[in-house]
Amino acid sequence: MDESELPPEERPVDVYLDLLRLRMDSEDYRLLLDVVQPVLRAIDQQRLAGLDLVLESGAPEDLPQEIRDEAALVIATAVTGRLDNQLVEIDVDGSDVRVVTDSVTAADPASLDRIAEHLRRRRHDTEELRGIAEASGLPTDF
């Protein structure tokens, strides 16, 4: 289903949240809303540039992985307007990284390999920058 199939007053993210509300335990749904509402407000107000979208940094430490996964899918639906987003795990140098992508990319091993390579390069660049910062006496917690 895509946005063109929805009534004009419905946003894909609202449809997705309604489906989750029906499917999830009430307490889990409340936790999910606590995590995604600030991000959804920022998207609505077009203030994404200064917002950290890494769920691990803004979410409570004990937030279940299922809630984190659903939060990532809700945010992806809000950003893309698509309801076919999928969460996939990609092995990057021996550790699994969760990535949200569209269903076509999720089903294409070559595309997933390209994503993994991009993540490897990014991880390498981050470690190089961290080393430069440390050698320069600058903070390394980026």
Side-chain angles (χ1 to χ4, degrees), residues 3 13-14 34 36 38 61 64 67 69 80 84 97-98 112-113:
E3 194 168 354
V13 69
D14 296 328
D34 288 346
V36 300
E61 284 184 31
I67 304 294
D69 292 348
T80 66
D84 70 335
V97 176
R98 288 174 138 72
L112 296 177
D113 286 345

Side-chain angles (χ1 to χ4, degrees), residues 13-70:
V13 69
D14 296 328
V15 171
Y16 191 63
L17 283 169
D18 286 344
L19 292 170
L20 289 174
R21 185 171 28 83
L22 295 172
R23 193 183 83 200
M24 294 176 77
D25 172 76
S26 297
E27 183 62 24
D28 288 346
Y29 184 73
R30 187 194 60 74
L31 283 171
L32 173 70
L33 287 180
D34 288 346
V35 173
V36 300
Q37 280 181 330
V39 178
L40 297 179
R41 275 194 298 275
I43 291 169
D44 286 343
Q45 297 170 1
Q46 299 179 353
R47 294 183 299 118
L48 278 181
L51 189 66
D52 184 3
L53 292 178
V54 178
L55 292 175
E56 283 73 23
S57 66
E61 284 184 31
D62 59 346
L63 190 68
Q65 188 62 52
E66 178 184 347
I67 304 294
R68 291 175 191 271
D69 292 348
E70 287 298 348

Side-chain angles (χ1 to χ4, degrees), residues 71-82 85 100:
L73 290 167
V74 168
I75 294 166
T77 301
V79 170
T80 66
R82 298 176 63 129
N85 297 304
V100 176

Side-chain angles (χ1 to χ4, degrees), residues 85-110:
N85 297 304
Q86 292 184 17
L87 192 128
V88 295
E89 286 188 4
I90 299 175
D91 179 59
V92 178
D93 300 331
S95 63
D96 287 335
V97 176
R98 288 174 138 72
V99 176
V100 176
T101 188
D102 63 273
S103 58
V104 173
T105 302
D108 180 16

